mmCIF file of all heavy atoms in Angstrom:
data_model
loop_
_atom_site.group_PDB
_atom_site.id
_atom_site.type_symbol
_atom_site.label_atom_id
_atom_site.label_comp_id
_atom_site.label_asym_id
_atom_site.label_seq_id
_atom_site.Cartn_x
_atom_site.Cartn_y
_atom_site.Cartn_z
ATOM 1 N N THR A 61 -116.397 66.860 149.036
ATOM 2 C CA THR A 61 -117.260 67.800 149.759
ATOM 3 C C THR A 61 -116.545 68.388 150.960
ATOM 4 O O THR A 61 -116.633 69.599 151.231
ATOM 5 C CB THR A 61 -118.552 67.101 150.199
ATOM 6 O OG1 THR A 61 -119.223 66.566 149.039
ATOM 7 C CG2 THR A 61 -119.490 68.059 150.906
ATOM 8 N N GLN A 62 -115.807 67.551 151.689
ATOM 9 C CA GLN A 62 -115.049 68.041 152.838
ATOM 10 C C GLN A 62 -113.969 69.031 152.407
ATOM 11 O O GLN A 62 -113.729 70.049 153.071
ATOM 12 C CB GLN A 62 -114.409 66.872 153.578
ATOM 13 C CG GLN A 62 -115.377 66.065 154.430
ATOM 14 C CD GLN A 62 -115.882 66.862 155.616
ATOM 15 O OE1 GLN A 62 -115.116 67.429 156.387
ATOM 16 N NE2 GLN A 62 -117.193 66.907 155.765
ATOM 17 N N LEU A 63 -113.329 68.764 151.295
ATOM 18 C CA LEU A 63 -112.305 69.684 150.803
ATOM 19 C C LEU A 63 -112.904 71.046 150.468
ATOM 20 O O LEU A 63 -112.332 72.089 150.795
ATOM 21 C CB LEU A 63 -111.613 69.079 149.574
ATOM 22 C CG LEU A 63 -110.695 67.885 149.848
ATOM 23 C CD1 LEU A 63 -110.288 67.225 148.534
ATOM 24 C CD2 LEU A 63 -109.455 68.315 150.634
ATOM 25 N N VAL A 64 -114.077 71.025 149.819
ATOM 26 C CA VAL A 64 -114.738 72.301 149.480
ATOM 27 C C VAL A 64 -115.099 73.069 150.740
ATOM 28 O O VAL A 64 -114.887 74.277 150.840
ATOM 29 C CB VAL A 64 -115.993 72.036 148.620
ATOM 30 C CG1 VAL A 64 -116.830 73.299 148.476
ATOM 31 C CG2 VAL A 64 -115.593 71.524 147.235
ATOM 32 N N GLU A 65 -115.658 72.352 151.713
ATOM 33 C CA GLU A 65 -116.085 73.008 152.956
ATOM 34 C C GLU A 65 -114.907 73.590 153.726
ATOM 35 O O GLU A 65 -115.107 74.480 154.575
ATOM 36 C CB GLU A 65 -116.853 72.019 153.826
ATOM 37 C CG GLU A 65 -118.214 71.652 153.254
ATOM 38 C CD GLU A 65 -118.969 70.657 154.111
ATOM 39 O OE1 GLU A 65 -118.424 70.215 155.139
ATOM 40 O OE2 GLU A 65 -120.112 70.315 153.742
ATOM 41 N N ASN A 66 -113.715 73.113 153.438
ATOM 42 C CA ASN A 66 -112.529 73.616 154.131
ATOM 43 C C ASN A 66 -111.632 74.444 153.194
ATOM 44 O O ASN A 66 -110.411 74.462 153.347
ATOM 45 C CB ASN A 66 -111.751 72.461 154.757
ATOM 46 C CG ASN A 66 -112.463 71.915 155.982
ATOM 47 O OD1 ASN A 66 -112.286 72.412 157.084
ATOM 48 N ND2 ASN A 66 -113.281 70.880 155.781
ATOM 49 N N ASN A 67 -112.310 75.083 152.213
ATOM 50 C CA ASN A 67 -111.640 76.040 151.322
ATOM 51 C C ASN A 67 -110.488 75.421 150.533
ATOM 52 O O ASN A 67 -109.453 76.068 150.298
ATOM 53 C CB ASN A 67 -111.125 77.244 152.135
ATOM 54 C CG ASN A 67 -112.253 77.988 152.824
ATOM 55 O OD1 ASN A 67 -113.284 78.256 152.208
ATOM 56 N ND2 ASN A 67 -112.076 78.302 154.098
ATOM 57 N N ARG A 68 -110.667 74.165 150.112
ATOM 58 C CA ARG A 68 -109.656 73.503 149.291
ATOM 59 C C ARG A 68 -110.314 72.954 148.018
ATOM 60 O O ARG A 68 -110.149 71.813 147.630
ATOM 61 C CB ARG A 68 -108.976 72.388 150.090
ATOM 62 C CG ARG A 68 -108.140 72.920 151.258
ATOM 63 C CD ARG A 68 -107.722 71.839 152.232
ATOM 64 N NE ARG A 68 -106.909 70.810 151.626
ATOM 65 C CZ ARG A 68 -106.422 69.752 152.303
ATOM 66 N NH1 ARG A 68 -106.660 69.641 153.607
ATOM 67 N NH2 ARG A 68 -105.697 68.841 151.689
ATOM 68 N N ARG A 69 -111.092 73.842 147.369
ATOM 69 C CA ARG A 69 -111.873 73.407 146.206
ATOM 70 C C ARG A 69 -110.991 72.961 145.053
ATOM 71 O O ARG A 69 -111.366 72.072 144.281
ATOM 72 C CB ARG A 69 -112.822 74.515 145.760
ATOM 73 C CG ARG A 69 -113.793 74.044 144.664
ATOM 74 C CD ARG A 69 -114.883 75.049 144.403
ATOM 75 N NE ARG A 69 -114.342 76.321 143.967
ATOM 76 C CZ ARG A 69 -115.036 77.448 143.913
ATOM 77 N NH1 ARG A 69 -116.302 77.440 144.309
ATOM 78 N NH2 ARG A 69 -114.490 78.569 143.495
ATOM 79 N N ALA A 70 -109.831 73.564 144.904
ATOM 80 C CA ALA A 70 -108.945 73.182 143.799
ATOM 81 C C ALA A 70 -108.609 71.695 143.849
ATOM 82 O O ALA A 70 -108.445 71.043 142.806
ATOM 83 C CB ALA A 70 -107.671 74.020 143.834
ATOM 84 N N GLU A 71 -108.504 71.146 145.058
ATOM 85 C CA GLU A 71 -108.229 69.712 145.209
ATOM 86 C C GLU A 71 -109.484 68.876 144.956
ATOM 87 O O GLU A 71 -109.392 67.723 144.566
ATOM 88 C CB GLU A 71 -107.711 69.426 146.615
ATOM 89 C CG GLU A 71 -106.383 70.103 146.935
ATOM 90 C CD GLU A 71 -106.020 69.914 148.402
ATOM 91 O OE1 GLU A 71 -105.820 68.752 148.827
ATOM 92 O OE2 GLU A 71 -105.942 70.927 149.124
ATOM 93 N N ALA A 72 -110.649 69.478 145.198
ATOM 94 C CA ALA A 72 -111.907 68.727 145.070
ATOM 95 C C ALA A 72 -112.373 68.600 143.621
ATOM 96 O O ALA A 72 -112.949 67.569 143.243
ATOM 97 C CB ALA A 72 -112.997 69.412 145.897
ATOM 98 N N LEU A 73 -112.122 69.607 142.805
ATOM 99 C CA LEU A 73 -112.686 69.620 141.452
ATOM 100 C C LEU A 73 -112.288 68.406 140.614
ATOM 101 O O LEU A 73 -113.137 67.821 139.919
ATOM 102 C CB LEU A 73 -112.303 70.925 140.739
ATOM 103 C CG LEU A 73 -112.889 72.203 141.361
ATOM 104 C CD1 LEU A 73 -112.473 73.418 140.553
ATOM 105 C CD2 LEU A 73 -114.409 72.114 141.461
ATOM 106 N N PRO A 74 -111.018 67.967 140.638
ATOM 107 C CA PRO A 74 -110.686 66.759 139.855
ATOM 108 C C PRO A 74 -111.452 65.525 140.317
ATOM 109 O O PRO A 74 -111.790 64.652 139.508
ATOM 110 C CB PRO A 74 -109.176 66.598 140.093
ATOM 111 C CG PRO A 74 -108.696 67.952 140.479
ATOM 112 C CD PRO A 74 -109.820 68.574 141.239
ATOM 113 N N LEU A 75 -111.737 65.458 141.617
ATOM 114 C CA LEU A 75 -112.503 64.330 142.140
ATOM 115 C C LEU A 75 -113.921 64.339 141.591
ATOM 116 O O LEU A 75 -114.457 63.303 141.175
ATOM 117 C CB LEU A 75 -112.540 64.373 143.667
ATOM 118 C CG LEU A 75 -111.368 63.748 144.414
ATOM 119 C CD1 LEU A 75 -111.505 64.005 145.913
ATOM 120 C CD2 LEU A 75 -111.292 62.250 144.150
ATOM 121 N N TYR A 76 -114.577 65.511 141.587
ATOM 122 C CA TYR A 76 -115.930 65.604 141.037
ATOM 123 C C TYR A 76 -115.950 65.155 139.574
ATOM 124 O O TYR A 76 -116.812 64.376 139.150
ATOM 125 C CB TYR A 76 -116.444 67.042 141.126
ATOM 126 C CG TYR A 76 -116.804 67.514 142.510
ATOM 127 C CD1 TYR A 76 -116.264 68.685 143.032
ATOM 128 C CD2 TYR A 76 -117.712 66.803 143.306
ATOM 129 C CE1 TYR A 76 -116.604 69.134 144.301
ATOM 130 C CE2 TYR A 76 -118.047 67.250 144.582
ATOM 131 C CZ TYR A 76 -117.497 68.414 145.071
ATOM 132 O OH TYR A 76 -117.826 68.865 146.316
ATOM 133 N N LYS A 77 -115.002 65.653 138.805
ATOM 134 C CA LYS A 77 -114.967 65.323 137.374
ATOM 135 C C LYS A 77 -114.724 63.834 137.154
ATOM 136 O O LYS A 77 -115.340 63.204 136.282
ATOM 137 C CB LYS A 77 -113.874 66.143 136.681
ATOM 138 C CG LYS A 77 -114.181 67.644 136.662
ATOM 139 C CD LYS A 77 -113.018 68.436 136.059
ATOM 140 C CE LYS A 77 -113.302 69.932 136.079
ATOM 141 N NZ LYS A 77 -112.176 70.729 135.557
ATOM 142 N N GLU A 78 -113.842 63.270 137.961
ATOM 143 C CA GLU A 78 -113.544 61.834 137.848
ATOM 144 C C GLU A 78 -114.790 61.004 138.162
ATOM 145 O O GLU A 78 -115.109 60.043 137.441
ATOM 146 C CB GLU A 78 -112.420 61.481 138.814
ATOM 147 C CG GLU A 78 -112.093 59.997 138.906
ATOM 148 C CD GLU A 78 -111.132 59.691 140.041
ATOM 149 O OE1 GLU A 78 -110.402 60.608 140.485
ATOM 150 O OE2 GLU A 78 -111.116 58.539 140.494
ATOM 151 N N LEU A 79 -115.497 61.355 139.221
ATOM 152 C CA LEU A 79 -116.681 60.604 139.631
ATOM 153 C C LEU A 79 -117.780 60.688 138.585
ATOM 154 O O LEU A 79 -118.425 59.682 138.262
ATOM 155 C CB LEU A 79 -117.186 61.117 140.983
ATOM 156 C CG LEU A 79 -116.330 60.747 142.186
ATOM 157 C CD1 LEU A 79 -116.715 61.574 143.401
ATOM 158 C CD2 LEU A 79 -116.476 59.265 142.497
ATOM 159 N N ILE A 80 -118.013 61.878 138.053
ATOM 160 C CA ILE A 80 -119.066 62.041 137.042
ATOM 161 C C ILE A 80 -118.722 61.285 135.774
ATOM 162 O O ILE A 80 -119.591 60.686 135.129
ATOM 163 C CB ILE A 80 -119.291 63.538 136.768
ATOM 164 C CG1 ILE A 80 -120.061 64.152 137.950
ATOM 165 C CG2 ILE A 80 -120.045 63.759 135.469
ATOM 166 C CD1 ILE A 80 -120.166 65.661 137.903
ATOM 167 N N LYS A 81 -117.436 61.264 135.419
ATOM 168 C CA LYS A 81 -117.028 60.505 134.239
ATOM 169 C C LYS A 81 -117.270 59.011 134.439
ATOM 170 O O LYS A 81 -117.733 58.313 133.519
ATOM 171 C CB LYS A 81 -115.545 60.756 133.951
ATOM 172 C CG LYS A 81 -115.032 60.051 132.708
ATOM 173 C CD LYS A 81 -113.557 60.379 132.451
ATOM 174 C CE LYS A 81 -113.056 59.667 131.202
ATOM 175 N NZ LYS A 81 -111.624 59.970 130.953
ATOM 176 N N GLU A 82 -117.000 58.522 135.651
ATOM 177 C CA GLU A 82 -117.168 57.094 135.930
ATOM 178 C C GLU A 82 -118.633 56.710 136.090
ATOM 179 O O GLU A 82 -119.027 55.592 135.768
ATOM 180 C CB GLU A 82 -116.404 56.717 137.201
ATOM 181 C CG GLU A 82 -114.888 56.803 137.070
ATOM 182 C CD GLU A 82 -114.179 56.530 138.384
ATOM 183 O OE1 GLU A 82 -114.872 56.410 139.414
ATOM 184 O OE2 GLU A 82 -112.935 56.440 138.379
ATOM 185 N N ASP A 83 -119.458 57.646 136.600
ATOM 186 C CA ASP A 83 -120.839 57.297 136.951
ATOM 187 C C ASP A 83 -121.741 58.497 136.679
ATOM 188 O O ASP A 83 -122.194 59.170 137.606
ATOM 189 C CB ASP A 83 -120.883 56.909 138.444
ATOM 190 C CG ASP A 83 -122.105 56.102 138.800
ATOM 191 O OD1 ASP A 83 -123.005 55.993 137.946
ATOM 192 O OD2 ASP A 83 -122.181 55.576 139.921
ATOM 193 N N PRO A 84 -122.043 58.777 135.415
ATOM 194 C CA PRO A 84 -122.750 60.016 135.072
ATOM 195 C C PRO A 84 -124.228 60.044 135.427
ATOM 196 O O PRO A 84 -124.873 61.080 135.279
ATOM 197 C CB PRO A 84 -122.560 60.105 133.547
ATOM 198 C CG PRO A 84 -122.398 58.685 133.113
ATOM 199 C CD PRO A 84 -121.665 58.000 134.230
ATOM 200 N N HIS A 85 -124.788 58.918 135.903
ATOM 201 C CA HIS A 85 -126.224 58.886 136.205
ATOM 202 C C HIS A 85 -126.540 59.153 137.674
ATOM 203 O O HIS A 85 -127.713 59.226 138.027
ATOM 204 C CB HIS A 85 -126.815 57.531 135.815
ATOM 205 C CG HIS A 85 -126.697 57.219 134.351
ATOM 206 N ND1 HIS A 85 -127.170 58.073 133.385
ATOM 207 C CD2 HIS A 85 -126.165 56.160 133.691
ATOM 208 C CE1 HIS A 85 -126.939 57.552 132.195
ATOM 209 N NE2 HIS A 85 -126.315 56.406 132.359
ATOM 210 N N TYR A 86 -125.525 59.268 138.499
ATOM 211 C CA TYR A 86 -125.774 59.420 139.930
ATOM 212 C C TYR A 86 -125.952 60.907 140.245
ATOM 213 O O TYR A 86 -124.994 61.689 140.202
ATOM 214 C CB TYR A 86 -124.628 58.825 140.735
ATOM 215 C CG TYR A 86 -124.894 58.701 142.213
ATOM 216 C CD1 TYR A 86 -126.180 58.518 142.715
ATOM 217 C CD2 TYR A 86 -123.842 58.750 143.125
ATOM 218 C CE1 TYR A 86 -126.418 58.381 144.077
ATOM 219 C CE2 TYR A 86 -124.069 58.615 144.496
ATOM 220 C CZ TYR A 86 -125.349 58.434 144.957
ATOM 221 O OH TYR A 86 -125.581 58.308 146.309
ATOM 222 N N TYR A 87 -127.184 61.288 140.585
ATOM 223 C CA TYR A 87 -127.507 62.697 140.786
ATOM 224 C C TYR A 87 -126.656 63.340 141.882
ATOM 225 O O TYR A 87 -126.268 64.510 141.769
ATOM 226 C CB TYR A 87 -128.994 62.841 141.142
ATOM 227 C CG TYR A 87 -129.350 64.236 141.606
ATOM 228 C CD1 TYR A 87 -129.366 65.301 140.708
ATOM 229 C CD2 TYR A 87 -129.632 64.493 142.944
ATOM 230 C CE1 TYR A 87 -129.663 66.590 141.126
ATOM 231 C CE2 TYR A 87 -129.935 65.779 143.376
ATOM 232 C CZ TYR A 87 -129.951 66.826 142.463
ATOM 233 O OH TYR A 87 -130.244 68.093 142.888
ATOM 234 N N HIS A 88 -126.337 62.599 142.921
ATOM 235 C CA HIS A 88 -125.607 63.163 144.056
ATOM 236 C C HIS A 88 -124.260 63.741 143.621
ATOM 237 O O HIS A 88 -123.826 64.769 144.157
ATOM 238 C CB HIS A 88 -125.407 62.082 145.120
ATOM 239 C CG HIS A 88 -124.799 62.581 146.390
ATOM 240 N ND1 HIS A 88 -125.330 63.632 147.119
ATOM 241 C CD2 HIS A 88 -123.693 62.181 147.083
ATOM 242 C CE1 HIS A 88 -124.586 63.851 148.183
ATOM 243 N NE2 HIS A 88 -123.588 62.998 148.192
ATOM 244 N N TYR A 89 -123.606 63.103 142.643
ATOM 245 C CA TYR A 89 -122.328 63.633 142.165
ATOM 246 C C TYR A 89 -122.522 64.996 141.499
ATOM 247 O O TYR A 89 -121.794 65.953 141.766
ATOM 248 C CB TYR A 89 -121.677 62.670 141.172
ATOM 249 C CG TYR A 89 -121.260 61.334 141.734
ATOM 250 C CD1 TYR A 89 -120.973 60.263 140.891
ATOM 251 C CD2 TYR A 89 -121.148 61.119 143.103
ATOM 252 C CE1 TYR A 89 -120.582 59.032 141.386
ATOM 253 C CE2 TYR A 89 -120.764 59.892 143.608
ATOM 254 C CZ TYR A 89 -120.489 58.850 142.745
ATOM 255 O OH TYR A 89 -120.102 57.625 143.237
ATOM 256 N N TRP A 90 -123.517 65.071 140.610
ATOM 257 C CA TRP A 90 -123.800 66.327 139.928
ATOM 258 C C TRP A 90 -124.189 67.413 140.936
ATOM 259 O O TRP A 90 -123.752 68.563 140.832
ATOM 260 C CB TRP A 90 -124.934 66.130 138.927
ATOM 261 C CG TRP A 90 -124.569 65.327 137.727
ATOM 262 C CD1 TRP A 90 -124.907 64.022 137.476
ATOM 263 C CD2 TRP A 90 -123.817 65.760 136.595
ATOM 264 N NE1 TRP A 90 -124.398 63.611 136.270
ATOM 265 C CE2 TRP A 90 -123.731 64.662 135.701
ATOM 266 C CE3 TRP A 90 -123.213 66.961 136.238
ATOM 267 C CZ2 TRP A 90 -123.059 64.740 134.489
ATOM 268 C CZ3 TRP A 90 -122.545 67.047 135.023
ATOM 269 C CH2 TRP A 90 -122.473 65.936 134.165
ATOM 270 N N ASP A 91 -125.014 67.035 141.893
ATOM 271 C CA ASP A 91 -125.523 68.002 142.869
ATOM 272 C C ASP A 91 -124.382 68.589 143.703
ATOM 273 O O ASP A 91 -124.288 69.812 143.871
ATOM 274 C CB ASP A 91 -126.546 67.310 143.769
ATOM 275 C CG ASP A 91 -127.241 68.281 144.712
ATOM 276 O OD1 ASP A 91 -127.729 69.321 144.235
ATOM 277 O OD2 ASP A 91 -127.310 67.981 145.919
ATOM 278 N N GLN A 92 -123.512 67.722 144.222
ATOM 279 C CA GLN A 92 -122.408 68.214 145.043
ATOM 280 C C GLN A 92 -121.427 69.036 144.229
ATOM 281 O O GLN A 92 -120.871 70.027 144.731
ATOM 282 C CB GLN A 92 -121.696 67.032 145.707
ATOM 283 C CG GLN A 92 -122.522 66.331 146.772
ATOM 284 C CD GLN A 92 -122.909 67.275 147.898
ATOM 285 O OE1 GLN A 92 -122.062 67.919 148.518
ATOM 286 N NE2 GLN A 92 -124.196 67.353 148.187
ATOM 287 N N TYR A 93 -121.218 68.631 142.986
ATOM 288 C CA TYR A 93 -120.322 69.396 142.099
ATOM 289 C C TYR A 93 -120.881 70.799 141.878
ATOM 290 O O TYR A 93 -120.164 71.809 142.017
ATOM 291 C CB TYR A 93 -120.189 68.638 140.780
ATOM 292 C CG TYR A 93 -119.164 69.179 139.804
ATOM 293 C CD1 TYR A 93 -118.137 70.029 140.204
ATOM 294 C CD2 TYR A 93 -119.227 68.818 138.461
ATOM 295 C CE1 TYR A 93 -117.209 70.515 139.298
ATOM 296 C CE2 TYR A 93 -118.299 69.287 137.539
ATOM 297 C CZ TYR A 93 -117.294 70.137 137.963
ATOM 298 O OH TYR A 93 -116.374 70.607 137.065
ATOM 299 N N ALA A 94 -122.171 70.894 141.559
ATOM 300 C CA ALA A 94 -122.798 72.211 141.350
ATOM 301 C C ALA A 94 -122.795 73.043 142.629
ATOM 302 O O ALA A 94 -122.524 74.245 142.605
ATOM 303 C CB ALA A 94 -124.222 72.023 140.842
ATOM 304 N N LEU A 95 -123.079 72.380 143.762
ATOM 305 C CA LEU A 95 -123.127 73.112 145.032
ATOM 306 C C LEU A 95 -121.768 73.661 145.439
ATOM 307 O O LEU A 95 -121.686 74.635 146.183
ATOM 308 C CB LEU A 95 -123.678 72.206 146.138
ATOM 309 C CG LEU A 95 -125.175 71.901 146.073
ATOM 310 C CD1 LEU A 95 -125.557 70.872 147.136
ATOM 311 C CD2 LEU A 95 -126.012 73.170 146.254
ATOM 312 N N SER A 96 -120.685 73.034 144.944
ATOM 313 C CA SER A 96 -119.360 73.538 145.282
ATOM 314 C C SER A 96 -119.156 74.949 144.741
ATOM 315 O O SER A 96 -118.294 75.698 145.221
ATOM 316 C CB SER A 96 -118.276 72.593 144.753
ATOM 317 O OG SER A 96 -118.182 72.648 143.342
ATOM 318 N N TYR A 97 -119.944 75.331 143.712
ATOM 319 C CA TYR A 97 -119.957 76.710 143.215
ATOM 320 C C TYR A 97 -121.174 77.482 143.720
ATOM 321 O O TYR A 97 -121.077 78.639 144.115
ATOM 322 C CB TYR A 97 -119.961 76.709 141.679
ATOM 323 C CG TYR A 97 -118.668 76.252 141.060
ATOM 324 C CD1 TYR A 97 -118.516 74.948 140.621
ATOM 325 C CD2 TYR A 97 -117.592 77.137 140.920
ATOM 326 C CE1 TYR A 97 -117.330 74.527 140.041
ATOM 327 C CE2 TYR A 97 -116.395 76.730 140.341
ATOM 328 C CZ TYR A 97 -116.279 75.411 139.903
ATOM 329 O OH TYR A 97 -115.087 75.008 139.349
ATOM 330 N N GLN A 98 -122.314 76.812 143.708
ATOM 331 C CA GLN A 98 -123.571 77.488 144.064
ATOM 332 C C GLN A 98 -123.536 78.032 145.487
ATOM 333 O O GLN A 98 -124.013 79.142 145.742
ATOM 334 C CB GLN A 98 -124.723 76.481 143.905
ATOM 335 C CG GLN A 98 -126.113 77.052 144.123
ATOM 336 C CD GLN A 98 -127.174 76.014 143.778
ATOM 337 O OE1 GLN A 98 -127.008 75.197 142.878
ATOM 338 N NE2 GLN A 98 -128.286 76.047 144.507
ATOM 339 N N ASN A 99 -122.981 77.271 146.411
ATOM 340 C CA ASN A 99 -122.939 77.712 147.806
ATOM 341 C C ASN A 99 -122.012 78.891 148.040
ATOM 342 O O ASN A 99 -122.041 79.501 149.116
ATOM 343 C CB ASN A 99 -122.542 76.549 148.714
ATOM 344 C CG ASN A 99 -123.637 75.509 148.837
ATOM 345 O OD1 ASN A 99 -124.790 75.771 148.519
ATOM 346 N ND2 ASN A 99 -123.286 74.311 149.283
ATOM 347 N N PHE A 100 -121.182 79.191 147.039
ATOM 348 C CA PHE A 100 -120.289 80.339 147.137
ATOM 349 C C PHE A 100 -120.703 81.445 146.156
ATOM 350 O O PHE A 100 -119.900 82.302 145.787
ATOM 351 C CB PHE A 100 -118.843 79.902 146.882
ATOM 352 C CG PHE A 100 -118.293 78.994 147.936
ATOM 353 C CD1 PHE A 100 -118.450 77.621 147.836
ATOM 354 C CD2 PHE A 100 -117.664 79.506 149.064
ATOM 355 C CE1 PHE A 100 -117.973 76.759 148.826
ATOM 356 C CE2 PHE A 100 -117.177 78.665 150.048
ATOM 357 C CZ PHE A 100 -117.336 77.288 149.935
ATOM 358 N N ASN A 101 -122.005 81.350 145.722
ATOM 359 C CA ASN A 101 -122.607 82.374 144.862
ATOM 360 C C ASN A 101 -121.935 82.491 143.494
ATOM 361 O O ASN A 101 -122.036 83.541 142.840
ATOM 362 C CB ASN A 101 -122.613 83.743 145.559
ATOM 363 C CG ASN A 101 -123.404 83.725 146.848
ATOM 364 O OD1 ASN A 101 -124.394 83.005 146.967
ATOM 365 N ND2 ASN A 101 -122.975 84.514 147.821
ATOM 366 N N GLN A 102 -121.260 81.447 143.060
ATOM 367 C CA GLN A 102 -120.679 81.433 141.729
ATOM 368 C C GLN A 102 -121.672 80.727 140.800
ATOM 369 O O GLN A 102 -121.492 79.580 140.383
ATOM 370 C CB GLN A 102 -119.311 80.744 141.756
ATOM 371 C CG GLN A 102 -118.293 81.515 142.596
ATOM 372 C CD GLN A 102 -116.952 80.820 142.676
ATOM 373 O OE1 GLN A 102 -116.854 79.597 142.638
ATOM 374 N NE2 GLN A 102 -115.891 81.614 142.779
ATOM 375 N N TYR A 103 -122.740 81.466 140.485
ATOM 376 C CA TYR A 103 -123.900 80.858 139.860
ATOM 377 C C TYR A 103 -123.684 80.457 138.406
ATOM 378 O O TYR A 103 -124.246 79.460 137.952
ATOM 379 C CB TYR A 103 -125.089 81.812 139.954
ATOM 380 C CG TYR A 103 -125.549 82.070 141.378
ATOM 381 C CD1 TYR A 103 -125.791 83.363 141.819
ATOM 382 C CD2 TYR A 103 -125.739 81.016 142.278
ATOM 383 C CE1 TYR A 103 -126.221 83.602 143.120
ATOM 384 C CE2 TYR A 103 -126.153 81.248 143.580
ATOM 385 C CZ TYR A 103 -126.393 82.548 143.990
ATOM 386 O OH TYR A 103 -126.804 82.782 145.271
ATOM 387 N N ASP A 104 -122.892 81.217 137.682
ATOM 388 C CA ASP A 104 -122.699 80.889 136.261
ATOM 389 C C ASP A 104 -122.060 79.514 136.096
ATOM 390 O O ASP A 104 -122.481 78.719 135.241
ATOM 391 C CB ASP A 104 -121.836 81.961 135.585
ATOM 392 C CG ASP A 104 -122.576 83.278 135.428
ATOM 393 O OD1 ASP A 104 -123.822 83.271 135.539
ATOM 394 O OD2 ASP A 104 -121.913 84.317 135.215
ATOM 395 N N GLN A 105 -121.023 79.240 136.907
ATOM 396 C CA GLN A 105 -120.356 77.943 136.811
ATOM 397 C C GLN A 105 -121.291 76.828 137.302
ATOM 398 O O GLN A 105 -121.333 75.741 136.714
ATOM 399 C CB GLN A 105 -119.071 77.941 137.631
ATOM 400 C CG GLN A 105 -118.210 76.706 137.448
ATOM 401 C CD GLN A 105 -117.750 76.510 136.017
ATOM 402 O OE1 GLN A 105 -117.413 77.472 135.328
ATOM 403 N NE2 GLN A 105 -117.762 75.264 135.560
ATOM 404 N N ALA A 106 -122.044 77.100 138.358
ATOM 405 C CA ALA A 106 -123.000 76.112 138.862
ATOM 406 C C ALA A 106 -124.055 75.790 137.812
ATOM 407 O O ALA A 106 -124.457 74.630 137.645
ATOM 408 C CB ALA A 106 -123.667 76.636 140.135
#
């Protein structure tokens, strides 16, 4: 989340994918992953 907020999303995306793969039931992971696109108006990917 900190990486996304500081315009370093390319570094953050592998972390989101890794976390969701390890723990797919935790809503917070999905939410933050989606928000990394949604907050920048990239709605299709979100």
Side-chain angles (χ1 to χ4, degrees):
T61 302
Q62 284 292 308
L63 289 169
V64 169
E65 290 179 358
N66 286 274
N67 299 315
R68 293 167 61 180
R69 188 170 60 193
E71 297 173 63
L73 295 182
L75 275 174
Y76 287 127
K77 293 176 182 178
E78 174 189 338
L79 287 166
I80 285 171
K81 182 178 180 180
E82 292 176 353
D83 200 351
H85 299 306
Y86 191 29
Y87 170 71
H88 186 54
Y89 295 164
W90 289 104
D91 187 50
Q92 291 300 305
Y93 187 19
L95 287 174
S96 71
Y97 290 98
Q98 185 173 326
N99 289 343
F100 293 89
N101 300 327
Q102 295 178 329
Y103 295 132
D104 289 343
Q105 188 61 39

